[in-house]
Amino acid sequence: MNRLSILLISVLTLICSSCSKILEETPYSVVSTNNFYKSATDAELAITGVYDVLNAQNIQGYGNQPLWGRGMHYLTNLGVDDLTQDPRFTTGQPDLMPFYDHTYTAENPNLWYAYFFLYAGINRANFIIEKVPSIEMDATRRAQIVAEAQFMRGMYYTYLTWLFGGVPLITTSAPDISSPRASIQQVLQQAKADFKSAYDVLPARNGSAGRVNRYTAAGFLAKVNLYEASCKQNNVSENLNFPVNSFSYVNQNEAYAEAHRWCKEVYDNSGYKLIRPFNYLFLAATEAAAREENMMIVQCGPGGSQEINLYAYLAGPRGDYRTNSGTYGWLRPLREVYQRYNTNDGRISTMSGYLTTKTVFITIDNFKYYTPDPITPSNLGPLCVNKWREDDPNARIARGIDVYSGETDFAILRFADIVLMYAETSYQTGNESAARALLREVRLRACGDDVAKTNAITTAYSKPDFMSELLDERGRELVAEGWRRFDLIRTGRITSVLNALGTANYYPGHSIPAIQANFKNYKIWYPLPSRDIATNVNLKQNPGY
């Protein structure tokens, strides 16, 4: 029996150790379904288990933070003009390097771990959706728990689709483990239904910090409709002649209009905003302020082994995680990322050199952050991402965080993303002036509300083709946040962007020409894991693998 099959029927997929920061009680590790789903406490423990998948260290002994604790950052950021890997520092990580140079295969364990974990979340959600409605408890909270599970199921299916295309569609706790792949149309139809159900039930803000709400659901309805519309508009995947991954079903105009409607709903009514200053979005010291913009987060913090991200392995200034909270320097920006920023744009501070000091720091709300080296434009070799930062390692250890780990929330969805999608859908529905006004809102925040600087970057960033300008702006605002690969795929630009990269070798052992040569159009989809293909005869592999 394959591992996915074990996952779908195992008791261990129901509840796992989880985040006390989300829920005070500690969930059970092993529990019989005959004795579970009997009380309000059981329901709360179960929904916590669904969220736990986001940054669980392992499930059933498999995985090493394969989703937003580490692995998802590699799957969604590498291989385009966003992040790359410095081969000098990743020689002992052969399973990670293929994502930057497009040499991944169906045997790659990180692909299977991601696939496995996303289905673990789906399975946990399916049990809640089936079992919790029969529990005698507060009716309002019961409905909200089911709605949260529906949202999470929809989100996990959405990510499976963005990564792999059509996948088996499982909506019961007793699935057919030989299910074939459903089409993208079928999977995203289910995801949108789940998001709409969540939107109809959830409150504007969830009583538990870090939990999803009705506007999180609205935001993902905007995301999915925009993805479908732009894929149809740009004939994404059509030349592969693989009906499972076809967007021929999409009515482009209707999908853009629907995405626009949901963006407007969030923009007008959610109460989320663009916080100031920009860098406060990425620090544990300022996470309360950041949650005024962050609409869905992966929570991290003290209190349990699952409540971390593997910060030393992620995008941050290369340094010493034991002394100044630097990273290994594995995930590094391409020079094209740095070159997108005008010097008047405050977001240029998201780029830095290495982190070498052990004495120079700033203090924010009693959190001590060491200051990275400045960038030398004539030498971009030490170029690093300087977005997410962790404070002094000794202080983190005192709070119960391992020295190589981080406790800063990671935002899967921000209000700034909604504003940029609202701009895109305004343009696509015929209102370019409104679209440009929305871009200006994001740029004004980027310039610290300095009108002269905002005017300067607006002039510097202007392009005759609005979509090119919009995608550049998304690249500046959302760098390293997991959207660039998806954006370039859905707009049909990934090949042209890769071919336009400068070929100078500025990380020894790193080869832009190899990246360009290795990428083929079929690689917009990752391969389904080989172990699932081998054990389910009804699963058909993506073309090219």
Side-chain angles (χ1 to χ4, degrees):
M1 195 180 301
N2 70 5
R3 295 298 179 184
L4 178 58
S5 304
I6 295 171
L7 167 70
L8 294 172
I9 62 175
S10 172
V11 171
L12 287 175
T13 63
L14 301 181
I15 297 296
C16 184
S17 61
S18 187
C19 303
S20 61
K21 195 175 182 184
I22 294 178
L23 185 68
E24 291 300 322
E25 299 89 344
T26 302
Y28 304 112
S29 296
V30 179
V31 63
S32 168
T33 56
N34 293 329
N35 299 320
F36 202 63
Y37 298 106
K38 301 295 186 183
S39 68
T41 299
D42 293 345
E44 297 288 0
L45 294 172
I47 191 61
T48 300
V50 178
Y51 284 96
D52 175 67
V53 172
L54 294 168
N55 64 332
Q57 181 177 356
N58 66 78
I59 295 176
Q60 297 172 220
Y62 291 96
N64 182 13
Q65 294 276 16
L67 295 186
W68 284 271
R70 185 181 73 151
M72 188 64 79
H73 301 274
Y74 291 82
L75 272 61
T76 59
N77 288 309
L78 292 175
V80 290
D81 64 336
D82 198 48
L83 299 186
T84 189
Q85 290 187 285
D86 189 333
R88 292 173 295 176
F89 309 133
T90 54
T91 54
Q93 304 294 323
D95 295 332
L96 298 178
M97 293 185 68
F99 295 104
Y100 100 84
D101 65 1
H102 299 288
T103 56
Y104 39 80
T105 71
E107 302 294 330
N108 191 289
N110 293 287
L111 289 174
W112 180 70
Y113 288 149
Y115 190 84
F116 176 75
F117 271 54
L118 291 167
Y119 271 111
I122 289 166
N123 191 51
R124 295 179 186 188
N126 284 340
F127 271 96
I128 290 173
I129 294 164
E130 285 188 9
K131 305 292 186 182
V132 167
S134 64
I135 295 176
E136 292 187 9
M137 59 180 293
D138 178 80
T140 299
R141 180 58 190 147
R142 180 176 61 207
Q144 288 177 356
I145 288 173
V146 172
E148 287 181 56
Q150 288 173 308
F151 172 88
M152 295 300 291
R153 181 174 70 179
M155 194 199 80
Y156 290 140
Y157 268 127
T158 298
Y159 269 89
L160 279 166
T161 303
W162 286 340
L163 295 170
F164 300 102
V167 293
L169 185 57
I170 298 164
T171 57
T172 74
S173 61
D176 177 0
I177 60 177
S178 61
S179 297
R181 297 175 70 171
S183 66
I184 285 178
Q185 177 181 10
Q186 292 168 317
V187 179
L188 292 185
Q189 183 179 36
Q190 179 63 55
K192 287 187 290 185
D194 282 340
F195 295 144
K196 182 59 166 60
S197 295
Y199 173 83
D200 289 340
V201 172
L202 292 176
R205 292 294 184 276
N206 199 307
S208 298
R211 295 288 182 87
V212 300
N213 59 57
R214 69 180 300 160
Y215 294 110
T216 320
F220 266 85
L221 281 163
K223 277 276 182 194
V224 174
N225 279 285
L226 177 58
Y227 175 77
E228 289 179 308
S230 54
C231 284
K232 175 61 178 294
Q233 182 181 41
N234 296 290
N235 296 312
V236 172
S237 195
E238 291 307 307
N239 64 352
L240 299 178
N241 297 314
F242 193 61
V244 164
N245 290 348
S246 172
F247 292 92
S248 61
Y249 69 92
V250 178
N251 183 310
Q252 174 186 319
N253 293 335
E254 289 181 3
Y256 272 129
E258 190 72 356
H260 185 72
R261 180 173 75 86
W262 287 112
C263 287
K264 180 175 171 35
E265 166 68 0
V266 176
Y267 185 87
D268 288 347
N269 300 316
S270 71
Y272 285 104
K273 65 181 183 180
L274 301 175
I275 71 161
R276 272 78 167 162
F278 178 73
N279 69 304
Y280 275 24
L281 287 163
F282 311 106
L283 306 173
T286 54
E287 66 179 20
R291 290 177 188 176
E292 296 184 63
E293 177 169 341
N294 291 340
M295 299 173 61
M296 182 179 181
I297 59 174
V298 179
Q299 280 192 295
C300 300
S305 63
Q306 308 292 347
E307 299 183 351
I308 60 170
N309 59 64
L310 295 181
Y311 174 72
Y313 301 79
L314 301 181
R318 175 171 167 78
D320 187 343
Y321 66 85
R322 294 160 295 189
T323 59
N324 61 12
S325 295
T327 72
Y328 287 122
W330 288 3
L331 292 178
R332 307 284 294 282
L334 287 162
R335 69 180 66 195
E336 281 79 4
V337 177
Y338 174 70
Q339 291 167 345
R340 284 191 202 118
Y341 295 101
N342 182 274
T343 54
N344 289 297
D345 189 334
R347 295 170 300 187
I348 199 171
S349 66
T350 60
M351 302 287 109
S352 75
Y354 287 168
L355 185 55
T356 58
T357 185
K358 297 177 177 62
T359 58
V360 180
F361 58 86
I362 62 171
T363 301
I364 301 175
D365 196 21
N366 296 317
F367 284 68
K368 183 166 69 175
Y369 294 94
Y370 291 96
T371 304
D373 300 338
I375 298 170
T376 304
S378 61
N379 177 21
L380 297 182
L383 187 64
C384 295
V385 173
N386 186 42
K387 240 180 180 178
W388 300 271
R389 296 295 311 282
E390 296 295 338
D391 71 320
D392 180 74
N394 292 321
R396 292 207 314 283
I397 291 171
R399 294 195 297 271
I401 302 296
D402 292 327
V403 68
Y404 54 82
S405 302
E407 61 178 333
T408 302
D409 293 342
F410 179 84
I412 292 177
L413 181 65
R414 293 201 277 124
F415 184 67
D417 194 352
I418 297 294
V419 176
L420 291 169
M421 288 194 294
Y422 197 14
E424 183 175 351
T425 58
S426 294
Y427 173 76
Q428 295 290 357
T429 53
N431 194 342
E432 184 172 344
S433 61
R436 292 193 174 279
L438 289 160
L439 283 190
R440 186 173 179 83
E441 291 184 25
V442 174
R443 291 168 175 170
L444 189 65
R445 191 263 296 271
C447 293
D449 296 307
D450 186 309
V451 173
K453 289 183 177 180
T454 304
N455 291 339
I457 70 169
T458 297
T459 299
Y461 294 159
S462 178
K463 289 189 172 182
D465 173 41
F466 177 81
M467 280 302 300
S468 295
E469 185 175 340
L470 181 280
L471 287 171
D472 280 354
E473 196 62 40
R474 288 183 61 81
R476 296 181 195 100
E477 178 71 22
L478 303 170
V479 61
E481 295 185 40
W483 295 114
R484 185 66 172 173
R485 177 184 169 90
F486 297 146
D487 282 345
L488 293 180
I489 289 172
R490 69 178 176 84
T491 56
R493 301 184 183 218
I494 186 169
T495 299
S496 62
V497 166
L498 287 176
N499 288 339
L501 291 176
T503 57
N505 181 14
Y506 57 101
Y507 297 148
H510 183 276
S511 174
I512 294 294
I515 296 172
Q516 293 167 330
N518 291 337
F519 180 77
K520 308 297 180 186
N521 189 52
Y522 69 85
K523 292 188 177 182
I524 61 173
W525 309 114
Y526 286 122
L528 294 185
S530 59
R531 66 181 69 193
D532 289 270
I533 294 289
T535 53
N536 180 354
V537 297
N538 293 318
L539 282 184
K540 303 302 180 185
Q541 183 59 278
N542 281 326
Y545 295 102

